[in-house]
Amino acid sequence: MTLRRTVLAAAMLALGCSAAQAQTRWTMATAYAEGNFHTRNVRAFIDDVQQATSGRLQIQLHFGASLLTMPNIKRGVQTGQIQLGEVLLSVHGNEDPFFELDSVPFLADTWEATAALDRVSQPYIRARLERQGMIPLYMVPWPSQAFYTRNEVRNAEDLRGLRFRTYNALTLRMAELLGATPVTVQVAEIPQAFATGVIAAMFTSAQTGVDTAAWDYARYFTDVGGMRARNLVFVNARAFRALDEATRNAMTEAAGRAAVRGLEFARAAEGEMVERLRSRGMQVREPSAAFMTQLREVGARQTQEWVQRAGPEGQQVLEAYRAALPR
């Protein structure tokens, strides 16, 4: 009898240890390079989650669009093909205008304005994602935007007729308003697109320029600010709710830290990446006052077009944003 109890106790202990050591394995996809500050922030977020859960939740990251391309990541999370994803939110602007609000040119072109827009728009974005079966975890802005060209850009006329890289509906429209020819090109395809003449100009951050070795295909970098669009890290709602409460809390807390850390990374990258481009021989230029006036006129027109698409809620969030701007 004693022996039977001992064997049973040992079996139950083994079963308990096995259950305690059971792991949940998730997959995450991002389109950005491993050295990109967004990817470094994602890796720190994953490490944070795995440490906080003592390894019970394991997350495998696929970066550089190696698993899914940028336009397909959101659908992958929504359908449960993968559990976690990171996207440039404005890529999905054709689906819903609120997803592209942060990319309206010159609507929020300072760090303070970016923070105000983030505060007032997050509830609208959360509601839309949750209706689609996803939960936002955190958002991190990009640094300021610049024009990459082979020849110096002094005004909008210098862009007229150029084949201009676009990546969402707003940059496509901006290219049209500037008289350029829009061509959709994903990040991973930029160097080849320049080399083969598919594009001759683009509008993006210094970070993306470094990621794609812009010094190999462009000579001038004209930093105009423009906007600080956000990357979104999000999770499949069903997968998230299937986790135990402690793991859900660990992920939510890690996401909060990632938002703070990511903003610090973004602000640091704004200067560091420009210097990296300069050190590689790129000509860093400040835009002329006349060029900035032209760009702001384009931005004002795109803001009004965005409100028309977004309807009453769009007008509501725009008014809330303007009221939240620092005086």
Side-chain angles (χ1 to χ4, degrees), residues 16-49:
C17 290
S18 177
Q21 294 169 359
Q23 293 180 339
T24 299
R25 297 184 179 276
W26 279 11
T27 301
M28 180 173 184
T30 180
Y32 296 101
E34 188 167 21
N36 186 289
F37 74 88
H38 283 291
T39 308
R40 289 189 287 112
N41 192 37
V42 165
R43 284 209 179 276
F45 163 71
I46 289 173
D47 289 345
D48 201 357
V49 170

Side-chain angles (χ1 to χ4, degrees), residues 181-304:
T181 302
V183 182
T184 300
V185 174
Q186 298 302 317
V187 172
E189 301 165 349
I190 288 173
Q192 183 178 5
F194 265 101
T196 57
V198 172
I199 56 174
M202 69 176 177
F203 182 65
T204 191
S205 70
Q207 177 69 66
T208 300
V210 170
D211 290 346
T212 59
W215 47 86
D216 288 337
Y217 56 77
R219 185 180 178 191
Y220 288 92
F221 173 90
T222 307
D223 195 348
V224 298
M227 72 277 194
R228 290 172 171 83
R230 292 169 294 181
N231 270 20
L232 167 72
V233 171
F234 57 110
V235 61
N236 178 279
R238 181 176 296 179
F240 182 77
R241 290 170 183 143
L243 299 172
D244 60 78
E245 183 178 2
T247 303
R248 291 197 303 270
N249 290 341
M251 182 171 290
T252 301
E253 291 166 4
R257 291 188 287 273
V260 174
R261 181 177 56 244
L263 180 59
E264 293 172 353
F265 282 179
R267 294 182 74 113
E270 186 158 283
E272 291 170 2
M273 296 301 107
V274 172
E275 290 310 310
R276 186 87 62 85
L277 294 173
R278 195 194 307 271
S279 72
R280 289 290 192 147
M282 290 199 70
Q283 301 295 310
V284 176
R285 293 287 188 264
E286 292 293 324
S288 68
F291 188 26
M292 289 303 301
T293 297
Q294 291 174 315
L295 293 174
R296 292 190 187 284
E297 288 172 355
V298 168
R301 181 167 176 178
Q302 289 196 256
T303 298
Q304 289 307 309

Side-chain angles (χ1 to χ4, degrees), residues 38-94:
H38 283 291
T39 308
R40 289 189 287 112
N41 192 37
V42 165
R43 284 209 179 276
F45 163 71
I46 289 173
D47 289 345
D48 201 357
V49 170
Q50 293 180 164
Q51 183 175 355
T53 61
S54 300
R56 293 190 306 278
L57 178 58
Q58 294 287 313
I59 303 169
Q60 182 179 8
L61 176 65
H62 297 264
F63 59 87
S66 58
L67 180 63
L68 294 171
T69 60
M70 172 81 78
N72 292 315
I73 289 174
K74 179 174 175 289
R75 182 65 178 169
V77 174
Q78 188 173 357
T79 60
Q81 179 184 358
I82 58 176
Q83 292 77 33
L84 284 163
E86 180 188 37
V87 297
L88 178 68
L89 187 58
S90 61
V91 165
H92 299 286
N94 279 335

Side-chain angles (χ1 to χ4, degrees), residues 162-166 171-173 175-176 179-184 199:
L162 292 184
R163 295 177 63 81
F164 191 96
R165 180 248 175 174
T166 63
T171 52
L172 188 152
R173 178 60 174 154
E176 291 176 342
T181 302
V183 182
T184 300
I199 56 174

Side-chain angles (χ1 to χ4, degrees), residues 105-187:
F106 299 96
L107 174 61
D109 59 348
T110 67
W111 285 111
E112 293 77 15
T114 299
L117 188 64
D118 184 65
R119 287 194 301 272
V120 301
S121 64
Q122 279 210 29
Y124 295 88
I125 293 166
R126 173 174 287 275
R128 283 159 168 76
L129 290 170
E130 287 181 348
R131 287 198 294 267
Q132 297 178 342
M134 293 167 287
I135 299 172
L137 291 174
Y138 68 87
M139 287 191 274
V140 172
W142 282 87
S144 63
Q145 306 291 290
F147 290 96
Y148 291 76
T149 53
R150 293 193 177 99
N151 300 312
E152 187 172 3
V153 176
R154 296 173 296 276
N155 52 53
E157 287 69 31
D158 290 333
L159 296 168
R160 192 172 301 278
L162 292 184
R163 295 177 63 81
F164 191 96
R165 180 248 175 174
T166 63
Y167 52 86
N168 60 22
L170 285 169
T171 52
L172 188 152
R173 178 60 174 154
M174 183 177 75
E176 291 176 342
L177 292 172
L178 290 170
T181 302
V183 182
T184 300
V185 174
Q186 298 302 317
V187 172

